[in-house]
Amino acid sequence: MSHIPSLPDIAAGRCTSEEISERFSDLHPPLKHHEALVAADRCYFCFDAPCTIACPTSIDIPLFIRQIATGTAEAAAKTIFDQNILGGMCARVCPTETLCEEVCVRETAEGQPVLIGQLQRYATDTVMASGVHPYAREPKTGKSIAIVGAGPAGLACAHRLAMHGHSVTIYDARQKGGGLNEYGIAAYKAPDDFAQQELDWLMSIGGIVIETGARLGDDLSLTLLQSDHDAVFLGMGLSGVNALALEGTHDGICDAVDWIESMRQSPDKTDISVGRNVVVIGGGMTAVDAAIQSKLLGAETVTIAYRRDKGAMSASEFEQELATSKGVHILFNATPETVSNGAITFSRTGTDEQITLPADQIMRAIGQKLESASADLAIDGGKIKVDENGRTSVKGIWAGGDCASGGEDLTVTAVAEGRDAAEDIHANLMKGS
Amino acid sequence: MADLTSDFIGIKSPNPFWLASAPPTDKEYNVRRAFEAGWGGVVWKTLGEAGPPIVNVNGPRYGAIYGADRRLLGLNNIELITDRPLEVNIEEITRVKKDYPDHAVVVSLMVPCEEGPWKDILRRIEDTGADGVELNFGCPHGMAERGMGSAVGQVPEYIQMVTEWVKMHSDYPCIVKLTPNITDVRFPARAAQAGGADAVSLINTINSITSVNLDTLVPEPTIDGHGAHGGYCGPAVKPIALNMVAEIARDPETANLPISGIGGITTWRDAVEFMALGAGNVQVCTAAMTYGFKVVQEMISGLSQYMDEKGIDSVSDIVGQAVPKAKNWQDLNLNYVTKAEIDQDLCIKCGRCYISCEDTSHQAIAMSEDRVFTVKDDECVACNLCVNVCPVEGCITMRELSIGELDERTGKKVEEYANWTTHPNNPGATCG
Ligand SMILES: Cc1cc2nc3c(=O)[nH]c(=O)nc-3n(C[C@H](O)[C@H](O)[C@H](O)COP(=O)(O)OP(=O)(O)OC[C@H]3O[C@@H](n4cnc5c(N)ncnc54)[C@H](O)[C@@H]3O)c2cc1C
Ligand SMILES: Cc1cc2nc3c(=O)[nH]c(=O)nc-3n(C[C@H](O)[C@H](O)[C@H](O)COP(=O)(O)O)c2cc1C
Ligand code: SF4
Ligand code: SF4
Ligand code: SF4
């Protein structure tokens, strides 16, 4: 057993660099060749497969698994990338237990789905490790498209447009591309700098330029983008955070996404401060990720406090179990009321009962929101309103991913929306030519 | 526990499960382990004539095909008969038989197709105490090119001639092992009977090439850049073997000729099927080579439970029970009508029944928006394809329509038994 120093308050260095790298290694280690063949053999090659229907990017899952089973992982990867160019990241981060694997007929039959996500990783890793990029660009069209945001939506859109021969410029406010793949996803889901590797691999198709440190709203305006380009796609995600009114003062309150972002950017994470007693407020994937990673960094107690009950929590059953298996406590029906240094008090939702927990650090994870969009764009439920082709209310502007209406806020959904918008942009720009 | 003792042409063994002549029976060491594990008998790996021993290729000597999860379904080999000196084998057989008097030890033989060598080999094995001989007229590779093995088994006259020599020069019960590499297995079986054989055993392996290496484009197993056809066995050949056993059992000329059933027997169920179609006992090779000798324990417990459940007292009571029910096509009831039925509680909604019927058969399964699969009785011809492709056992079954019930496909009521021989569309029908 290694020694975890019991540091008070909020401190870095609760664990050694070795401990951290061990704890933050792959959540699901990659399948070995033999494991992949055994897993692939379980697929029944269903007709009109339920798994494919459940995949937001509609990957032909029975086909790619059969291609793995017959010794052609490269062809399998092509089947995946044809639908989802970020198939490598999705294989790591998709909540498969609520998507493809939830409806796999072998889940129905035996409560044990085919390991679709892990097989997808096996196939995509094979191609990415070989350094081959299996797509070439069609002849240049001379059209140029501006994309705002280099997250999954923007990247999927850019790749599809580049494939069709257009030139693409992506503008992103941050210093690195990748969006939440780089700054948000839990470190143990995509270790070894996978987000940047995938970004480089995706860009190797050519025809895509990323301008980092370029924020729409600063020197960059939609009008300018529209005048410089033939079309615009907005994929800037949700960078604003919801406010949470709490009575009292506390020195250790932060937004979970900010804390995760700095943690993701730290090379060995020994410099990341974490409380001895951490309380995370919220009920989604962000809350779970912040809680688990606090625990992995050496926090002694970590509690997720959620104002409603278990069934209402948006983090899946699997995610909840993952959290509790790491020693995170989940407190349901707890509405935060007051804070003071070192503590937070909740009321039992709908009752007078009060619960006070020690809290050196309090993380807010109660959802992100659209920071600001041009006044011209119609808004629907706090997001940019789009139709099924990703068209906004303004001609020549498309949007997709978390910032756009419709679909769950997931990497795979953002990819699907970016890809589909690209096809619509392409069809529009090439009309009559 | 049922009484499993077996008496096959006077050769007694504690159970009807023998190891076939093959690597598992090539040495004293293996055979002792086999008897300790529970096998009732062995047919010793085929002996050749005295003199310089047989030469095998070093290997690889086997090839295979697989099912899901790399289950071995078919095995192919290019090995020859024993490559150990005759004297060594004879000493070992003698020692083993002495220590296991209650187990069956049969010696398999293959020598050139002349009377002298057969007379000589029979004299040499005289003092082993073995229970009988099996004449290997089956191996399809290596020895056949030298005028032995299947080269003899493919010529009924040779079979009869050699069998006569063997019966003339020895008192051993004589089993003739047949090759499946012929067009009609009844002819070699009749020849063996005419030569005085006490029994036939079948099948030996089937000519085969299991695979081609796609990098080198050489057949496998590959020996230094080349491959040769070999003999195929294992679960994949069972249906072929089962039919050949039944052909001989059904042939009026050989109806009383005892049969030792061989070919793909892997479980107690396979063994009972062979016996029901006329085999007096069974021989096993690939199952033992795949899983080791312990598989016989499942065969013993399975057969025993089956006999207890069915109230069968003796293994011999199973033999031939299914033979009268194995018919030719023209004897089947053309008025027998069934319809596929899907058990919705068992269905896991994979859609395989639907797509196989829709794409390749009769468009008789409907698929609803919410993936409920149902059979259209007015289209279903009861081909059984959906049953065969459904991954859930017992999920799709065939419901028999009773006489007088409406067949929605034809719009006619089900009638009494009638077969092709009397069908109006048959120009050769005997009567209307
Ligand atoms: C902590 C956390 C964990 C998550 N875990 C998972 C998970 O395990 N699985 C899963 O499927 N999903 C997960 N998600 C959700 C998933 O990350 C998002 O749904 C997905 O990244 C959305 O992609 P996007 O391209 O729409 O936006 P983002 O990934 O947010 O990318 C938007 C990009 O736009 C840039 N940008 C923003 N504003 C501007 C501007 N004004 N000008 C220029 N650039 C701008 C940003 O810098 C960013 O690079 C998680 C989210 C969070 C916050
Ligand atoms: C249901 C069924 C019916 C068949 N009918 C015919 C036939 O009428 N004529 C023919 O030459 N072969 C027929 N065949 C044999 C196939 O053409 C083929 O030779 C055989 O199935 C082996 O190939 P495969 O196992 O690779 O599919 C039939 C096969 C099946 C399964
Ligand atoms: S992209 Fe995600 S949802 Fe789709 S098949 Fe792959 S792992 Fe499943
Ligand atoms: S539902 Fe499961 S078994 Fe069916 S095709 Fe998809 S992965 Fe294969
Ligand atoms: S093949 Fe069987 S399990 Fe699959 S849909 Fe048909 S009946 Fe259901």
Side-chain angles (χ1 to χ4, degrees), chain A residues 326-406:
Chain A
K326 301 283 179 198
V328 171
H329 179 63
I330 307 181
L331 185 65
F332 296 104
N333 299 311
T335 308
E337 303 284 357
T338 57
V339 292
S340 57
N341 272 339
I344 179 165
T345 301
F346 298 88
S347 65
R348 274 286 183 197
T349 309
T351 71
D352 298 335
E353 192 192 333
Q354 302 262 307
I355 305 161
T356 299
L357 296 178
D360 306 302
Q361 191 175 29
I362 298 171
M363 298 188 187
R364 281 183 299 237
I366 54 167
Q368 289 86 256
K369 61 177 185 180
L370 191 59
E371 202 162 33
S372 64
S374 152
D376 303 336
L377 293 167
I379 298 293
D380 178 11
K383 296 186 167 196
I384 301 168
K385 185 178 178 182
V386 292
D387 68 6
E388 68 280 8
N389 292 312
R391 295 180 199 177
T392 66
S393 57
V394 176
K395 193 169 165 15
I397 302 181
W398 281 255
D402 285 0
C403 71
S405 63

Side-chain angles (χ1 to χ4, degrees), chain B residues 367-380:
Chain B
M367 173 178 172
S368 72
E369 284 279 307
D370 56 342
R371 291 186 85 80
V372 175
F373 297 89
T374 42
V375 176
K376 303 183 214 164
D377 280 358
D378 56 344
E379 298 290 352
C380 176

Side-chain angles (χ1 to χ4, degrees), chain A residues 292-308:
Chain A
I292 291 177
Q293 293 174 110
S294 300
K295 191 77 192 156
L296 297 181
L297 283 178
E300 283 172 29
T301 73
V302 178
T303 306
I304 295 175
Y306 178 54
R307 75 197 150 90
R308 291 195 276 160

Side-chain angles (χ1 to χ4, degrees), chain A residues 59-401:
Chain A
I59 292 172
D60 191 337
I61 294 165
L63 179 61
F64 96 66
I65 294 181
R66 192 177 165 95
Q67 289 165 322
I68 291 175
T70 55
T72 49
E74 293 77 6
K78 184 75 172 20
T79 301
I80 294 161
F81 292 138
D82 281 350
Q83 290 296 112
N84 182 336
I85 197 67
L86 295 183
M89 183 59 84
C90 287
R92 292 162 166 79
V93 307
C94 272
T96 52
E97 67 280 3
T98 64
L99 297 169
C100 51
E101 292 180 13
E102 179 180 41
V103 299
C104 172
V105 302
R106 300 214 68 165
E107 168 69 29
T108 317
E110 301 125 56
Q112 203 62 254
V114 172
L115 299 176
I116 301 170
Q118 284 172 267
L119 285 166
Q120 178 171 319
R121 173 166 177 189
Y122 175 80
T124 51
D125 277 3
T126 304
V127 165
M128 291 178 66
S130 74
V132 171
H133 186 93
Y135 298 94
R137 296 182 68 197
E138 287 160 20
K140 291 208 176 80
T141 61
K143 308 276 185 196
S144 104
I145 293 100
I147 291 180
V148 181
L155 291 173
C157 183
H159 187 271
R160 190 53 67 103
L161 288 168
M163 239 170 83
H164 284 314
H166 308 294
S167 355
V168 180
T169 308
I170 308 181
Y171 302 91
D172 197 292
R174 287 203 170 93
Q175 291 311 311
K176 286 190 206 166
L180 289 173
N181 287 355
E182 173 61 34
Y183 293 96
I185 293 293
Y188 47 79
K189 290 186 184 170
D192 305 325
D193 211 16
F194 183 75
Q196 291 308 304
Q197 286 178 39
E198 186 178 47
L199 178 72
D200 294 343
W201 173 84
L202 179 146
M203 297 280 289
S204 66
I205 189 172
I208 307 172
V209 177
I210 300 190
E211 304 271 357
T212 51
R215 172 184 295 276
L216 179 68
D218 293 351
D219 298 338
L220 216 55
S221 73
L222 260 184
T223 330
L224 189 68
L225 290 179
Q226 281 191 284
S227 66
D228 287 355
H229 300 275
D230 298 295
V232 177
F233 174 82
L234 301 176
M236 65 262 214
L238 301 171
S239 42
V241 285
N242 289 326
L244 175 68
L246 292 172
E247 230 176 89
T249 53
H250 191 291
D251 297 337
I253 300 187
C254 64
D255 284 313
V257 283
D258 294 339
W259 183 80
I260 290 171
E261 173 170 340
S262 53
M263 192 230 6
R264 280 293 311 266
Q265 295 309 306
S266 162
D268 76 350
K269 302 178 181 37
T270 47
D271 60 334
I272 298 301
S273 299
V274 67
R276 183 169 54 183
N277 300 303
V278 177
V279 172
V280 183
I281 301 170
M285 233 176 217
T286 307
V288 166
D289 286 2
I292 291 177
Q293 293 174 110
S294 300
K295 191 77 192 156
L296 297 181
L297 283 178
E300 283 172 29
T301 73
V302 178
T303 306
I304 295 175
Y306 178 54
R307 75 197 150 90
R308 291 195 276 160
D309 62 17
K310 187 174 165 69
M313 202 162 165
S314 71
S316 71
E317 189 83 28
F318 171 81
E319 300 267 349
Q320 294 180 32
E321 272 168 25
L322 185 65
T324 49
S325 77
K326 301 283 179 198
V328 171
H329 179 63
I330 307 181
L331 185 65
F332 296 104
N333 299 311
T335 308
E337 303 284 357
T338 57
V339 292
S340 57
N341 272 339
I344 179 165
T345 301
F346 298 88
S347 65
R348 274 286 183 197
T349 309
T351 71
D352 298 335
E353 192 192 333
Q354 302 262 307
I355 305 161
T356 299
L357 296 178
D360 306 302
Q361 191 175 29
I362 298 171
M363 298 188 187
R364 281 183 299 237
I366 54 167
Q368 289 86 256
K369 61 177 185 180
L370 191 59
E371 202 162 33
S372 64
S374 152
D376 303 336
L377 293 167
I379 298 293
D380 178 11
K383 296 186 167 196
I384 301 168
K385 185 178 178 182
V386 292
D387 68 6
E388 68 280 8
N389 292 312
R391 295 180 199 177
T392 66
S393 57
V394 176
K395 193 169 165 15
I397 302 181
W398 281 255

Side-chain angles (χ1 to χ4, degrees), chain B residues 23-195:
Chain B
T25 63
D26 194 18
K27 285 199 299 295
E28 176 176 1
Y29 178 80
N30 304 56
V31 173
R32 283 183 186 274
R33 286 173 70 86
F35 285 158
E36 290 305 318
W39 290 90
V42 298
V43 181
W44 203 275
K45 172 81 179 166
T46 305
L47 310 184
E49 57 181 339
I54 288 289
V55 179
N56 264 308
V57 293
N58 285 293
R61 304 176 188 180
Y62 306 139
I65 66 154
Y66 300 100
D69 220 359
R70 216 175 143 89
R71 287 268 162 156
L72 192 143
L73 295 184
L75 186 71
N76 150 295
N77 82 85
I78 53 170
E79 267 179 355
L80 305 182
I81 62 176
T82 186
D83 55 11
R84 304 183 326 133
L86 180 63
E87 302 71 37
V88 174
N89 275 305
I90 287 174
E91 277 170 30
E92 292 186 1
I93 293 168
T94 313
R95 267 203 302 272
V96 171
K97 182 64 208 181
K98 194 155 150 281
D99 288 351
Y100 292 90
D102 299 334
H103 288 64
V105 178
V106 171
V107 181
S108 170
L109 301 173
M110 181 197 285
V111 294
C113 204
E114 294 155 31
E115 188 168 358
W118 280 99
K119 191 173 165 183
D120 181 60
I121 187 83
L122 288 163
R123 191 185 49 73
R124 284 172 189 268
I125 63 167
E126 226 164 43
D127 299 328
T128 55
D131 298 294
V133 293
E134 184 178 80
L135 316 187
N136 178 351
F137 296 155
C139 286
H141 53 270
M143 306 309 288
E145 291 88 329
R146 305 176 203 177
M148 291 181 264
S150 64
V152 179
Q154 286 165 341
V155 185
E157 292 77 8
Y158 291 172
I159 295 177
Q160 180 173 345
M161 178 175 74
V162 176
T163 311
E164 282 167 356
W165 292 334
V166 171
K167 289 309 287 185
M168 194 190 317
H169 296 299
S170 79
D171 298 327
Y172 279 126
C174 170
I175 306 169
V176 172
K177 186 165 183 178
L178 302 179
T179 175
N181 299 307
I182 38 85
T183 45
D184 188 338
V185 78
R186 290 174 301 180
F187 290 89
R190 289 173 193 162
Q193 179 169 265

Side-chain angles (χ1 to χ4, degrees), chain B residues 341-352:
Chain B
E341 228 171 37
I342 297 173
D343 182 336
Q344 300 298 340
D345 292 336
L346 290 179
C347 173
I348 60 171
K349 305 194 187 307
C350 70
R352 276 166 46 161

